[in-house]
Amino acid sequence: MSNRPHKPVSMAPWRLEASESEEDAIWRLHPERRLAIAHDTAQLLVREQRGTDSDDTLSRMKTFVDQEGVDTLAELWSSADPVSLPGALWRLFGIREQVRVRPDVIGEVVQRGLDALETIDPVVVGAEEPVTAAGVGEIIDQVLRGGFSGDLANALERASALARVIAAGLLHWPESHTDREHDVALRSLSWGVVATELADCARREKNGQLR
C-alpha cells in the first residue's frame, strides 16, 4: 500500500441531498448506496480542507451537522467495517455519547482504570498528556465538527487509550445489586474491542490506508 497523502474527496451532490432530504430517505436507499454515502460523508467531514473545489459541499455538510447534529451520519457510519474511516467515526461518536450522558460515572471508571493500569500499560505510563474522558471528548468533538486539522492517527490512539482504560476500570468497578459481575465483564469486553478497533484504525491512518 502507498503512503501517499489523502486526496480531498468530492462528494456527489445527490448524496448530500439524500442526507438533507426527508428524515427517512437515507434508510430507503439500497445498502450499497448507504455504505457509499457513509464513506463519502466520513471522507468529506475529516479529509476535506478549505480552498478546494468542493468548498460549497463541505460548507453544506457542516451546516447540516450544525443544524441536524451528527446523529444521522453516525447511523450511516455504524454499518461500515470497524477498521475504516466511517467505522472509526462511529466508534468515536459512541465514546462521545457515553462521556456526555454520564460524565461523573465515566470519570470514576477512568480513574479506576488508570489506577489499575499505571504500572503495566505503556499507553498510560509516560504519556505526554494524561488520559482523561474530558480531554479525549474535546478531540472527538473537533473531529466530528468537520474540517479537522489535527493528527487523526493521534486522535484515534487517544480514543483507543481511553476505551482501554474504561475497560480496565469496569473490571475494577465495585459490584452492587444493580451490577452483576457477568454484565460488568461483558461491558468491559465491549470497550476492549472498541479500543482494539480504534488502535487498528490509527495504524492504518499512519500508513495512509484508512479509507
Side-chain angles (χ1 to χ4, degrees), residues 103-132:
D104 53 340
V105 173
I106 290 293
E108 186 174 347
V109 171
V110 167
Q111 188 55 57
R112 289 178 182 275
L114 290 171
D115 292 342
L117 295 175
E118 64 179 354
T119 60
I120 60 174
D121 196 319
V123 170
V124 177
V125 178
E128 292 184 6
E129 299 178 22
V131 178
T132 66

Side-chain angles (χ1 to χ4, degrees), residues 15 42 66 110 125 127 138-139 144 154 160 166 179 181 183 199:
R15 287 180 174 165
D66 289 342
V110 167
V125 178
E138 288 180 7
I139 295 173
L144 296 181
N154 180 261
S160 173
I166 290 174
D179 285 325
E181 184 177 347
D183 293 338

Side-chain angles (χ1 to χ4, degrees), residues 83-120:
V83 188
S84 67
L85 184 58
L89 294 184
W90 166 245
R91 281 148 187 80
L92 293 182
F93 175 79
I95 291 175
R96 187 189 71 164
E97 292 307 292
Q98 289 298 316
V99 171
R100 282 184 170 184
V101 170
R102 291 301 301 275
D104 53 340
V105 173
I106 290 293
E108 186 174 347
V109 171
V110 167
Q111 188 55 57
R112 289 178 182 275
L114 290 171
D115 292 342
L117 295 175
E118 64 179 354
T119 60
I120 60 174

Side-chain angles (χ1 to χ4, degrees), residues 26-177:
I26 290 177
W27 316 119
R28 294 200 303 267
L29 294 173
H30 188 279
E32 291 184 0
R33 185 167 290 185
R34 284 173 52 187
L35 186 60
I37 295 177
H39 278 270
D40 280 356
T41 53
Q43 288 282 339
L44 182 64
L45 199 66
V46 176
R47 309 289 189 205
E48 194 65 64
Q49 299 295 325
R50 293 293 182 187
T52 68
D53 293 335
S54 14
D55 274 359
D56 180 61
T57 306
L58 177 60
S59 177
R60 290 171 63 193
M61 170 68 75
K62 295 185 74 172
T63 298
F64 174 75
V65 171
D66 289 342
Q67 294 178 348
E68 305 297 332
V70 75
D71 306 57
T72 300
L73 298 182
E75 285 297 321
L76 285 171
W77 301 334
S78 67
S79 60
D81 187 284
V83 188
S84 67
L85 184 58
L89 294 184
W90 166 245
R91 281 148 187 80
L92 293 182
F93 175 79
I95 291 175
R96 187 189 71 164
E97 292 307 292
Q98 289 298 316
V99 171
R100 282 184 170 184
V101 170
R102 291 301 301 275
D104 53 340
V105 173
I106 290 293
E108 186 174 347
V109 171
V110 167
Q111 188 55 57
R112 289 178 182 275
L114 290 171
D115 292 342
L117 295 175
E118 64 179 354
T119 60
I120 60 174
D121 196 319
V123 170
V124 177
V125 178
E128 292 184 6
E129 299 178 22
V131 178
T132 66
V136 174
E138 288 180 7
I139 295 173
I140 292 175
D141 279 339
Q142 292 172 20
V143 173
L144 296 181
R145 277 199 299 266
F148 182 62
S149 59
D151 185 333
L152 182 60
N154 180 261
L156 294 172
E157 286 178 338
R158 299 286 295 172
S160 173
L162 176 63
R164 184 155 53 253
V165 168
I166 290 174
L170 285 171
L171 288 178
H172 291 79
W173 191 255
E175 187 177 356
S176 70
H177 66 283

